[in-house]
Amino acid sequence: MVRSMKIRLVLGLLLILGAGDIVSAQRSNYSRTQVPGRWVFLGQSQVDGRMDHDRILVPGRGRYQRVQIRVDRAPIEFHRVVVHYANGGSEELNIRQRISAGGQTRAIDLRGNERDIESVEFFYARGRWNSYRMPRVRLYGI
């Protein structure tokens, strides 16, 4: 009788843990979906060289009113940022600044209210050369 109770207890715990895994898997599938008022992660890139040029393709696209650029690991010196839209148009964002590790831009409004972003192109450089860490830029939209 004690043995059957232990088996039921173990099976119950396994069932609970399995349900938690299912819920977390479902949440991760929806991580790129847009929730009103929340920043959505759109992609990231790493600055490798002195002067670098990268493009972040926005998967599945999406309609956004604002973007924000976040920097981590080491500072980045931004020279030019261009947003490319699905309709073929593009917009250059006025970001000519050095952003330190852990820093971010303000929420940058996109022209034309909600826009379908295809990609964002970055022209930038590492902000500090004596750092062993390569900076990473992350793009968010809302």
Side-chain angles (χ1 to χ4, degrees):
M1 185 155 144
V2 173
R3 183 176 178 174
S4 67
M5 285 181 65
K6 286 182 181 179
I7 292 173
R8 284 188 209 156
L9 180 63
V10 168
L11 289 175
L13 287 172
L14 290 174
L15 180 64
I16 291 170
L17 292 174
D21 289 343
I22 291 170
V23 169
S24 66
Q26 287 177 342
R27 282 187 186 149
S28 68
N29 288 340
Y30 294 114
S31 64
R32 290 191 188 268
T33 59
Q34 227 171 324
V35 177
R38 289 203 154 169
W39 289 104
V40 177
F41 175 74
L42 302 178
Q44 67 184 15
S45 184
Q46 185 169 291
V47 182
D48 298 326
R50 178 168 292 168
M51 285 292 293
D52 209 347
H53 169 237
D54 290 309
R55 181 182 291 238
I56 295 177
L57 298 174
V58 177
R61 297 192 185 144
R63 297 183 68 77
Y64 300 96
Q65 295 177 335
R66 293 175 198 86
V67 293
Q68 185 179 63
I69 298 166
R70 300 178 188 174
V71 172
D72 62 5
R73 297 184 182 160
I76 298 176
E77 184 77 36
F78 286 90
H79 301 289
R80 188 170 170 224
V81 177
V82 182
V83 178
H84 298 279
Y85 298 110
N87 67 0
S90 62
E91 175 181 0
E92 185 167 342
L93 303 179
N94 188 16
I95 303 173
R96 297 191 198 299
Q97 65 186 48
R98 182 179 190 271
I99 299 177
S100 60
Q104 62 191 31
T105 64
R106 69 191 191 292
I108 303 165
D109 292 327
L110 300 175
R111 284 192 318 239
N113 199 6
E114 291 188 351
R115 302 296 303 267
D116 192 3
I117 300 174
E118 182 178 273
S119 65
V120 178
E121 198 171 10
F122 295 93
F123 299 85
Y124 45 33
R126 291 171 71 174
R128 184 175 57 218
W129 285 98
N130 58 357
S131 174
Y132 66 93
R133 301 187 78 183
M134 290 195 203
R136 179 175 60 185
V137 61
R138 293 178 295 150
L139 178 67
Y140 290 83
I142 191 168

